[in-house]
Amino acid sequence: MAETIDDISIDWSDEDGVQKVRELKKEVLTRGAWATVMFAYQEVGRGEEEFGPVKFRVGRYQKRNGRFSPHSKFNISSVKQAKQVVEILQAWIDEYGEDE
């Protein structure tokens, strides 16, 4: 758990200290008691030694007792899938207009 939004990371190492998830980029989409953070990352699969292809995650974090804890996440498993999400969102934005 992180004390600030900037401390939130998805880097992860196993009990032997071997890094299994490597955060490449992070963007904070919303701040406050509920934070939304988007990551680009790579992970090492079971039985593998090399990091795999780039994946993406959108995570929601809730601040309780002075610390942010993960609440929910959505993983995008490939660049191809990410492009599909972008295309669909862009079509919906074009259809329904921008709300700012």
Side-chain angles (χ1 to χ4, degrees):
M1 289 193 287
E3 291 185 20
T4 71
I5 294 170
D6 295 329
D7 293 337
I8 295 171
S9 175
I10 60 170
D11 280 331
W12 182 77
S13 298
D14 67 12
E15 59 276 353
D16 297 323
V18 177
Q19 188 174 20
K20 296 294 187 175
V21 178
R22 174 171 56 194
E23 179 183 306
L24 301 173
K25 298 268 185 176
K26 174 174 93 173
E27 291 290 332
V28 177
L29 302 178
T30 60
R31 294 179 178 267
W34 284 89
T36 306
V37 184
M38 185 166 41
F39 300 94
Y41 70 100
Q42 293 174 296
E43 60 186 349
V44 176
R46 288 188 178 150
E48 297 178 12
E49 295 182 13
E50 301 291 321
F51 283 97
V54 175
K55 298 180 180 184
F56 308 94
R57 174 181 294 174
V58 178
R60 294 276 291 158
Y61 298 83
Q62 183 180 21
K63 190 166 192 175
R64 281 191 185 163
N65 300 321
R67 299 181 74 78
F68 282 95
S69 58
H71 186 266
S72 60
K73 65 183 175 185
F74 175 73
N75 292 321
I76 300 171
S77 59
S78 67
V79 170
K80 179 182 176 185
Q81 189 180 56
K83 287 179 180 180
Q84 290 173 314
V85 170
V86 169
E87 289 172 9
I88 292 167
L89 286 173
Q90 188 61 59
W92 288 352
I93 290 167
D94 293 344
E95 181 178 351
Y96 298 111
E98 296 185 30
D99 183 29
E100 294 200 25

